[in-house]
Coordinates of all heavy atoms in Angstrom, one line a residue:
Chain A
F416 N -86.2 -125.3 29.1 CA -86.7 -124.5 30.2 C -85.6 -124.3 31.3 O -85.4 -123.3 31.8 CB -87.9 -125.2 30.9 CG -89.2 -124.9 30.2 CD1 -89.8 -125.9 29.4 CD2 -89.8 -123.7 30.3 CE1 -91.0 -125.6 28.7 CE2 -91.0 -123.4 29.6 CZ -91.6 -124.4 28.8
F417 N -84.8 -125.4 31.5 CA -83.8 -125.3 32.5 C -82.8 -124.2 32.2 O -82.4 -123.4 33.0 CB -83.1 -126.7 32.6 CG -81.8 -126.7 33.4 CD1 -81.9 -126.6 34.8 CD2 -80.6 -126.7 32.8 CE1 -80.8 -126.5 35.6 CE2 -79.4 -126.7 33.6 CZ -79.5 -126.6 35.0
D418 N -82.3 -124.3 30.9 CA -81.3 -123.2 30.5 C -81.8 -121.8 30.7 O -81.2 -120.9 31.1 CB -80.8 -123.5 29.1 CG -80.0 -124.7 28.9 OD1 -79.5 -125.2 30.0 OD2 -79.9 -125.3 27.8
C419 N -83.1 -121.7 30.2 CA -83.7 -120.4 30.3 C -83.9 -119.9 31.7 O -83.6 -118.8 32.1 CB -85.1 -120.5 29.6 SG -86.2 -119.2 29.9
Y420 N -84.4 -120.8 32.6 CA -84.6 -120.4 34.0 C -83.3 -120.1 34.7 O -83.3 -119.1 35.5 CB -85.4 -121.6 34.7 CG -86.8 -121.7 34.3 CD1 -87.6 -122.7 34.8 CD2 -87.4 -120.8 33.4 CE1 -89.0 -122.8 34.4 CE2 -88.7 -120.9 33.0 CZ -89.5 -121.9 33.5 OH -90.8 -122.0 33.2
V421 N -82.3 -120.9 34.6 CA -81.1 -120.6 35.3 C -80.5 -119.3 34.9 O -80.1 -118.5 35.7 CB -80.0 -121.8 35.0 CG1 -78.7 -121.4 35.5 CG2 -80.5 -123.1 35.7
S422 N -80.6 -119.0 33.6 CA -80.1 -117.7 33.1 C -81.0 -116.6 33.6 O -80.5 -115.5 34.1 CB -80.2 -117.7 31.6 OG -80.3 -116.4 31.0
Q423 N -82.3 -116.7 33.6 CA -83.2 -115.7 34.0 C -83.1 -115.5 35.5 O -83.2 -114.3 36.0 CB -84.7 -116.2 33.7 CG -85.8 -115.3 34.1 CD -86.5 -114.6 33.0 OE1 -85.8 -114.2 32.0 NE2 -87.8 -114.5 33.0
W424 N -83.0 -116.5 36.3 CA -83.0 -116.4 37.8 C -81.7 -115.8 38.4 O -81.6 -115.5 39.5 CB -83.4 -117.7 38.5 CG -84.8 -118.2 38.1 CD1 -85.7 -117.4 37.5 CD2 -85.3 -119.5 38.3 NE1 -86.9 -118.2 37.2 CE2 -86.7 -119.4 37.8 CE3 -84.9 -120.7 38.9 CZ2 -87.5 -120.5 37.8 CZ3 -85.7 -121.8 38.9 CH2 -87.0 -121.7 38.3
H425 N -80.7 -115.8 37.5 CA -79.4 -115.2 38.0 C -79.4 -113.7 37.7 O -78.5 -113.0 38.1 CB -78.2 -115.8 37.4 CG -77.9 -117.1 38.1 ND1 -77.9 -118.3 37.4 CD2 -77.5 -117.4 39.3 CE1 -77.5 -119.3 38.3 NE2 -77.3 -118.7 39.5
E426 N -80.5 -113.2 37.1 CA -80.6 -111.8 36.8 C -80.8 -110.9 38.0 O -80.4 -109.7 38.0 CB -81.7 -111.5 35.8 CG -81.7 -112.2 34.5 CD -81.1 -111.3 33.4 OE1 -81.7 -110.2 33.2 OE2 -80.2 -111.7 32.8
L427 N -81.4 -111.5 39.0 CA -81.7 -110.8 40.2 C -81.1 -111.5 41.5 O -81.1 -112.7 41.5 CB -83.3 -110.7 40.4 CG -84.1 -109.8 39.5 CD1 -85.5 -110.0 39.8 CD2 -83.7 -108.3 39.7
P428 N -80.7 -110.7 42.5 CA -80.2 -111.4 43.7 C -81.4 -111.9 44.5 O -82.4 -111.2 44.8 CB -79.6 -110.2 44.5 CG -80.2 -109.0 43.9 CD -80.6 -109.2 42.5
T429 N -81.4 -113.3 44.8 CA -82.4 -113.9 45.6 C -81.8 -114.9 46.5 O -80.6 -115.1 46.5 CB -83.4 -114.7 44.7 OG1 -82.6 -115.7 44.1 CG2 -84.1 -113.9 43.6
N430 N -82.6 -115.5 47.4 CA -82.1 -116.5 48.3 C -82.0 -117.9 47.6 O -81.7 -118.9 48.2 CB -82.9 -116.6 49.6 CG -84.4 -117.0 49.3 OD1 -84.8 -117.2 48.2 ND2 -85.2 -116.9 50.4
K431 N -82.3 -117.9 46.3 CA -82.3 -119.2 45.5 C -83.2 -120.3 46.0 O -82.9 -121.4 45.8 CB -80.8 -119.6 45.4 CG -79.9 -118.7 44.6 CD -78.6 -119.3 44.4 CE -78.1 -119.2 42.9 NZ -77.0 -120.0 42.6
K432 N -84.2 -119.9 46.7 CA -85.2 -120.9 47.1 C -86.4 -120.8 46.2 O -87.0 -119.8 46.0 CB -85.7 -120.6 48.5 CG -84.7 -121.1 49.6 CD -85.4 -121.1 50.9 CE -84.8 -122.1 51.9 NZ -85.4 -122.0 53.2
V433 N -86.7 -122.0 45.5 CA -87.7 -122.0 44.5 C -88.9 -122.8 45.0 O -88.8 -124.0 45.3 CB -87.2 -122.6 43.2 CG1 -88.2 -122.5 42.1 CG2 -85.9 -122.1 42.8
G434 N -90.1 -122.1 45.1 CA -91.3 -122.8 45.4 C -91.9 -123.3 44.1 O -92.1 -122.5 43.2
V435 N -92.2 -124.6 43.9 CA -92.8 -125.0 42.7 C -94.2 -125.6 42.8 O -94.5 -126.2 43.9 CB -91.9 -126.1 42.0 CG1 -90.5 -125.5 41.7 CG2 -91.8 -127.3 42.8
L436 N -95.0 -125.4 41.8 CA -96.4 -125.9 41.8 C -96.6 -126.6 40.5 O -96.9 -125.9 39.5 CB -97.4 -124.7 42.0 CG -98.8 -125.0 42.2 CD1 -99.1 -125.7 43.5 CD2 -99.7 -123.8 42.1
Y437 N -96.4 -127.9 40.5 CA -96.6 -128.7 39.2 C -97.7 -129.6 39.3 O -97.8 -130.4 40.3 CB -95.3 -129.5 39.0 CG -94.0 -128.6 38.8 CD1 -92.8 -129.2 39.2 CD2 -94.1 -127.3 38.3 CE1 -91.6 -128.4 39.1 CE2 -92.9 -126.6 38.2 CZ -91.7 -127.1 38.6 OH -90.5 -126.4 38.4
P438 N -98.6 -129.6 38.4 CA -99.8 -130.5 38.4 C -99.5 -131.9 38.0 O -98.4 -132.2 37.5 CB -100.8 -129.8 37.4 CG -99.9 -129.2 36.4 CD -98.7 -128.7 37.2
N439 N -100.5 -132.8 38.3 CA -100.4 -134.2 37.9 C -100.8 -134.3 36.4 O -101.9 -134.8 36.1 CB -101.2 -135.1 38.8 CG -101.2 -136.5 38.4 OD1 -100.2 -137.0 37.8 ND2 -102.3 -137.2 38.6
D440 N -100.0 -133.9 35.5 CA -100.2 -134.2 34.1 C -98.8 -134.3 33.4 O -97.8 -134.3 34.1 CB -101.1 -133.1 33.4 CG -100.5 -131.7 33.4 OD1 -99.3 -131.6 33.6 OD2 -101.3 -130.8 33.3
A441 N -98.8 -134.6 32.2 CA -97.5 -135.0 31.6 C -96.5 -133.9 31.7 O -95.3 -134.1 32.0 CB -97.7 -135.4 30.1
D442 N -97.0 -132.6 31.4 CA -96.1 -131.5 31.5 C -95.5 -131.4 33.0 O -94.3 -131.3 33.2 CB -96.8 -130.2 31.2 CG -97.2 -130.1 29.8 OD1 -96.7 -130.9 29.0 OD2 -97.9 -129.1 29.4
G443 N -96.5 -131.4 33.9 CA -96.1 -131.3 35.3 C -95.2 -132.4 35.8 O -94.1 -132.1 36.4
N444 N -95.5 -133.6 35.4 CA -94.7 -134.7 35.8 C -93.3 -134.8 35.2 O -92.3 -135.1 35.8 CB -95.4 -136.1 35.6 CG -96.6 -136.2 36.5 OD1 -96.6 -135.6 37.6 ND2 -97.7 -136.8 36.1
A445 N -93.3 -134.4 33.9 CA -92.0 -134.4 33.2 C -91.1 -133.3 33.8 O -89.9 -133.5 34.0 CB -92.2 -134.1 31.7
I446 N -91.7 -132.2 34.1 CA -90.9 -131.1 34.7 C -90.4 -131.5 36.1 O -89.3 -131.2 36.5 CB -91.8 -129.8 34.8 CG1 -92.0 -129.3 33.4 CG2 -91.2 -128.7 35.7 CD1 -90.9 -128.5 32.7
R447 N -91.3 -132.1 36.9 CA -91.0 -132.5 38.2 C -89.8 -133.5 38.2 O -88.8 -133.4 38.9 CB -92.2 -133.2 38.9 CG -91.8 -133.8 40.2 CD -93.1 -134.3 41.0 NE -93.8 -133.2 41.5 CZ -94.9 -132.7 41.1 NH1 -95.5 -133.2 40.0 NH2 -95.5 -131.6 41.6
E448 N -89.9 -134.5 37.3 CA -88.9 -135.5 37.2 C -87.5 -135.1 36.7 O -86.5 -135.5 37.2 CB -89.4 -136.6 36.3 CG -88.7 -137.9 36.4 CD -89.3 -139.0 35.5 OE1 -90.6 -138.9 35.3 OE2 -88.6 -139.8 35.0
H449 N -87.5 -134.2 35.7 CA -86.3 -133.8 35.1 C -85.7 -132.4 35.5 O -84.5 -132.2 35.6 CB -86.4 -133.9 33.6 CG -86.8 -135.2 33.1 ND1 -86.0 -136.3 33.1 CD2 -88.0 -135.6 32.6 CE1 -86.7 -137.4 32.7 NE2 -87.9 -137.0 32.3
L450 N -86.6 -131.5 35.7 CA -86.2 -130.1 36.0 C -85.7 -129.9 37.4 O -84.7 -129.3 37.7 CB -87.3 -129.1 35.7 CG -86.9 -127.6 35.8 CD1 -85.9 -127.2 34.7 CD2 -88.1 -126.7 35.6
I451 N -86.4 -130.5 38.4 CA -86.1 -130.3 39.8 C -84.6 -130.8 40.1 O -83.9 -130.0 40.7 CB -87.1 -131.0 40.7 CG1 -88.4 -130.2 40.6 CG2 -86.6 -131.0 42.2 CD1 -89.6 -130.7 41.5
P452 N -84.2 -132.0 39.7 CA -82.9 -132.5 40.0 C -81.8 -131.5 39.4 O -80.8 -131.2 40.0 CB -82.8 -133.8 39.4 CG -84.1 -134.3 39.1 CD -85.0 -133.1 39.0
D453 N -82.1 -131.1 38.1 CA -81.1 -130.2 37.5 C -81.0 -128.8 38.2 O -79.9 -128.3 38.3 CB -81.5 -129.9 36.0 CG -81.3 -131.2 35.2 OD1 -80.7 -132.1 35.7 OD2 -81.7 -131.1 34.0
L454 N -82.2 -128.3 38.7 CA -82.1 -127.0 39.4 C -81.4 -127.2 40.7 O -80.6 -126.3 41.1 CB -83.6 -126.6 39.7 CG -84.4 -126.0 38.5 CD1 -85.8 -125.7 39.0 CD2 -83.7 -124.8 37.9
Q455 N -81.6 -128.3 41.3 CA -80.8 -128.6 42.6 C -79.3 -128.6 42.3 O -78.5 -128.1 43.1 CB -81.3 -129.9 43.3 CG -82.7 -129.7 43.9 CD -83.4 -131.0 44.3 OE1 -83.1 -132.0 43.7 NE2 -84.3 -130.9 45.2
K456 N -78.9 -129.3 41.2 CA -77.5 -129.3 40.9 C -77.0 -127.9 40.6 O -75.8 -127.7 40.8 CB -77.3 -130.2 39.6 CG -77.0 -131.7 40.0 CD -76.8 -132.5 38.8 CE -77.8 -133.7 38.8 NZ -78.1 -134.2 37.4
A457 N -77.8 -127.1 40.0 CA -77.4 -125.7 39.7 C -77.4 -124.8 40.9 O -77.2 -123.6 40.7 CB -78.3 -125.2 38.6
G458 N -77.7 -125.3 42.1 CA -77.5 -124.5 43.3 C -78.8 -123.9 43.8 O -78.8 -123.1 44.7
F459 N -80.0 -124.4 43.3 CA -81.2 -123.8 43.8 C -81.8 -124.8 44.8 O -81.6 -126.1 44.7 CB -82.2 -123.6 42.7 CG -81.8 -122.5 41.7 CD1 -81.1 -122.8 40.6 CD2 -82.2 -121.2 42.0 CE1 -80.8 -121.8 39.7 CE2 -81.8 -120.2 41.2 CZ -81.1 -120.5 40.0
T460 N -82.5 -124.3 45.9 CA -83.2 -125.2 46.8 C -84.7 -125.2 46.3 O -85.3 -124.2 46.1 CB -83.2 -124.6 48.2 OG1 -81.9 -124.3 48.5 CG2 -83.7 -125.6 49.2

Side-chain angles (χ1 to χ4, degrees):
Chain A
F416 278 107
F417 171 73
D418 291 341
C419 165
Y420 286 175
V421 169
S422 156
Q423 177 112 317
W424 297 347
H425 280 118
E426 300 261 307
L427 287 174
T429 62
N430 61 5
K431 294 189 132 193
K432 278 190 155 179
V433 189
V435 300
L436 185 70
Y437 300 151
N439 177 31
D440 58 22
D442 291 351
N444 293 330
I446 290 285
R447 171 172 287 106
E448 194 177 329
H449 302 290
L450 185 66
I451 291 179
D453 286 356
L454 286 175
Q455 284 165 338
K456 266 181 240 154
F459 292 94
T460 311

